[in-house]
Amino acid sequence: MLSESELQALLAARHPDPFSVLGLHADADGKLWLRALLPGAAGVMVLEAGTRKVVASLPHREGGFFEAPMGRRRKKFEYRFQVRWDDGHEGCHADAYAFGPQLEEQDLTLLARGEHPRPYTQLGAHPMEQGGEHPVAGVRFAVWAPNARRVSVVGTFNNWDGRRHVMRLRHGAGIWEIFIPHMQPGDLYKFEIVGPGGNLLPPKADPYARASQLRPETASIVAAPLREPQALSAERVTANRRDAAISIYEVHAASWRKPEGRFPTWDELAAELPAYAAAMGFTHLELMPISEHPFDGSWGYQTLGLFAPSARFGPPEGFARFVAACHERGLGLLLDWVPAHFPSDAFGIAQFDGTHLYDYADPREGFHRDWNTLIYNFGRNEVRQFLIGNALYWTERWGVDGLRVDAVASMLYRDYSRPAGEWVPNSQGGRENFEAISLMQRMNERLGLESPGAITLAEESTSFPGVSRPTSAGGLGFHYKWNMGWMNDTLRYMHEEPIHRQWHHDKMTFGLVYAFSENFVLPISHDEVVHGKGSMLNKMPGDGDPNEWQKFANLRAYYGFMWGHPGKKLLFMGQEFAQRDEWSHERRLSWELLEDERHAGVQRLVRDLNSIYRELPALHRLDCEPAGFEWLQQEDRLQSVFAWLRRDDVGGEVIVICNFTPVPRPDYRLGVPAGARAWRERLNTDSAHYGGSNVGNLEGTLKVEKKAANGRPQSISVSLPPLATLILVPA
């Protein structure tokens, strides 16, 4: 019989190794004993697994502990428990303590080193069958908690009783594991953890959970088995290349067309969003974070369920259908991904095993002052494995086209948003976070190796060198970088009254000084239309009737400038039809504005800009190459006119001209390159079709004349509309 001390340790859930005493075990004489801890059970019979014949009755000893010798049996056998519970319910089930170690030694070794390429295949909850001749379905659980004294799986299946399913510790890796028979997808669970000091921690959600409850509930949910890897098609790989037309529609899924009083489902979004974005000519959708998060107001940027598509939109399977709907419409899908920080909610990974397991222990490194969040310990191998594995999970298992990585600047610098004396220098005394830099390099390398064709985009707001340079050349390895400087400069210029713009001319030209130092995306993102910044329309000068036409004209001209400028494009939802109000995550976009022709006209313009951006190789093939751009007019400050040439790699050319004053210029002389004999207007943001005054060059071609202008021997005479952008192509 089990010693009294070991029994009391089991009943108090402080036994160091329940697997060594529960289940079938031989004593010193070779006699088999069967022991079970089933609090709440009134009686337990032992059955043979195959025949279901009764082998023995287990006497109740104390506190739900049952044990008995197995007669003359000397060999272990497969068995089941027939349990009669105190409430009268009866059931037959397999014993979790009848199953041996779960993870292979090779996987444990890699996990312990932080080198497992796919940790999500081992850690977390995985439905499967186990057993010998009579296998049983259940769920294998594994969790990293190296400093814990005890870890149990708790849930509705065991009345949240931490004594019932205490896990086995695989000491070398600090990983706890157990196979629990009869659990299945949809079951709720958490981990009950006793910390190194013997204190019971708040029940913890699974860091590797692939499904979670809808907030404010916080339990993890057993998800369906992992999807098979989803390779990108050749078409999708081509569409992600730096010589492709990339125009991104950024969306907050919950509020795009938010139904009254609830969140949209993935299937509702799949039925409308991809079709709309494709009809608008966008090449990619970018979703603000859709991994599970506790607080709606964080917009997903404070996530505690990196592996779980948010329950706000229904079961994870719906997300798979959404991805397929995007690809069926010819759209790439990008996800915002947040490896910089995480919230400190007690049910999450903060103090996960009673220690600073996932974050830096020193608050000068581990606490984010701006967001009151915790910063991942980028130097710890197991944490790096967690983050890099998560990036691969989304691209490989869900088939998304890429990840836009949030808050990269906050990761790169140890003194980010910290005053002097409140940050820890690196090993060389500097401010760069070498661990975070290495993490991003390894993440990009891993995706390049395991998910060829998938792309990463960095939201990086500083001049850190080589963000989109390959790691082999010392860069971070991202494919693209958001051009925050271009966005800030050009929006400041557009905010000026036209009469003052001559004094701010350089804000529109400065971006070309560094435009080809990175592979840039020009972003007009959600960050530009929240927190009192106003909508894009309301950033533009021209208050009230009869001057409101200037707001629309300015916005249309700016969009023309943006689409004609080198760099990939990104526009946040609602700005394609000149949303008037600042964006709020709590309400849907103001789609009713499209009943107003001025708003409908802006929408038609964005659709046409996307169309010609894709149609004309000169506007995208060399987006990231200096050979694709040449100034034609950059010095006309007094009239606030800009003009440039865009080229492709096979001789195609396009001219872009912007007039950022409300003054029409009917005979503007512009020097042009030799070659084309005439040019014609391909797009005019002042067209009546878009809500403009219809000034322009729609009646005929613009012949190249042998009249010198702007240092060129030949030129054209152009009628420049007020507050407008023209795109010209060879006639």
Side-chain angles (χ1 to χ4, degrees), residues 9-14 18-19 22-23 35-41 44 63-66 81 83 85-86 89 91 93-98 150-168 178-183 192:
L10 280 176
L11 295 179
R14 54 180 173 78
F19 277 88
L22 295 177
R35 305 184 185 99
L37 182 60
L38 299 168
V44 180
F65 178 74
F66 298 79
F81 288 142
V83 183
W85 299 95
D86 288 339
H89 173 73
H93 62 82
D95 179 13
Y97 292 93
R150 169 176 66 83
V151 182
S152 302
V153 184
V154 295
T156 51
F157 62 96
N158 63 9
N159 294 319
W160 302 93
D161 188 337
R163 297 171 295 171
R164 289 282 305 279
H165 294 98
V166 178
M167 305 174 80
R168 173 193 288 112
I178 193 171
F179 175 76
I180 303 182
H182 313 298
M183 286 194 68
E192 183 177 282

Side-chain angles (χ1 to χ4, degrees), residues 122-200:
Q122 305 301 312
L123 299 173
H126 295 273
M128 59 182 60
E129 284 192 348
Q130 288 199 18
E133 294 183 8
H134 309 287
V136 61
V139 177
R140 186 194 73 195
F141 294 89
V143 63
W144 177 56
N147 303 300
R149 285 193 181 181
R150 169 176 66 83
V151 182
S152 302
V153 184
V154 295
T156 51
F157 62 96
N158 63 9
N159 294 319
W160 302 93
D161 188 337
R163 297 171 295 171
R164 289 282 305 279
H165 294 98
V166 178
M167 305 174 80
R168 173 193 288 112
L169 174 62
R170 307 296 293 274
H171 290 275
I175 289 172
W176 301 74
E177 60 173 22
I178 193 171
F179 175 76
I180 303 182
H182 313 298
M183 286 194 68
Q184 59 188 342
D187 286 347
L188 303 181
Y189 71 99
K190 282 189 177 182
F191 295 117
E192 183 177 282
I193 300 177
V194 175
N199 54 312
L200 184 65

